[in-house]
Amino acid sequence: MRGRAGFLRVSALALLVALLTSCAPSGGADPPESPPPPVGPASSDEVDLVVEVYRTRFDPERGTMQIAVHNAGATPLTVVRASLDSPALERPLRRDDETAIPAGAKRDLPVILAGARCPAPTTTAPDARLDILLADGSTAVVELSTVDRLG
């Protein structure tokens, strides 16, 4: 019996050594890690956005409204800052939170409402200003007229 137990120990030890050596790195050095690919459009010319404004049924209670941003471009992008400006508002509405928007996707960006100018000099939808993060790390300012989704 003793010979068989010794054989099993030697076999188990040989198996363990084989497993450990198979996990060891190969003789060559690991290739250097390449930087991650740039995220975002290369320039403001590649930014293709459609911007709408609307209020959900929860917005009046919260004192907010939504800036709906549709990334119609082929590249994901990040909105760094968003604002709405209208002569009907006492001041522009701002949002300073970064929001990633994949290509072809829409994101709603809530903003806190400001007081209205009464009587309102216009009933047109506000203009949007979006700061977009570009692939090189810089930002581009995109100014667009918005569409009032609910009229």
Side-chain angles (χ1 to χ4, degrees):
M1 282 287 197
R2 197 165 211 193
R4 192 169 173 195
F7 174 73
L8 288 176
R9 278 189 219 144
V10 171
S11 296
L13 183 60
L15 179 62
L16 181 62
V17 169
L19 286 173
L20 290 176
T21 57
S22 68
C23 294
S26 61
D30 289 336
E33 287 187 31
S34 59
V39 176
S43 71
S44 59
D45 295 335
E46 293 181 18
V47 175
D48 186 6
L49 299 173
V50 176
V51 182
E52 300 173 307
V53 293
Y54 75 101
R55 293 185 85 186
T56 69
R57 65 183 180 165
F58 302 109
D59 282 326
E61 178 181 302
R62 296 176 183 160
T64 59
M65 70 181 301
Q66 304 294 316
I67 305 171
V69 181
H70 176 217
N71 179 5
T75 308
L77 57 82
T78 300
V79 175
V80 178
R81 183 176 301 109
S83 64
L84 289 173
D85 194 13
S86 168
L89 298 171
E90 288 179 353
R91 60 178 170 74
L93 311 178
R94 284 183 60 116
R95 176 185 170 90
D96 290 319
D97 293 335
E98 287 190 11
T99 303
I101 307 175
K106 276 187 184 179
R107 294 291 183 265
D108 290 344
L109 311 177
V111 289
I112 304 292
L113 279 174
R117 287 196 178 128
C118 295
T122 182
T123 58
T124 60
D127 292 329
R129 176 186 164 120
L130 304 169
D131 294 7
I132 307 295
L133 186 62
L134 299 178
D136 66 1
S138 66
T139 56
V141 175
V142 179
E143 294 187 12
L144 302 163
S145 295
T146 61
V147 175
D148 184 348
R149 182 187 294 182
L150 304 176

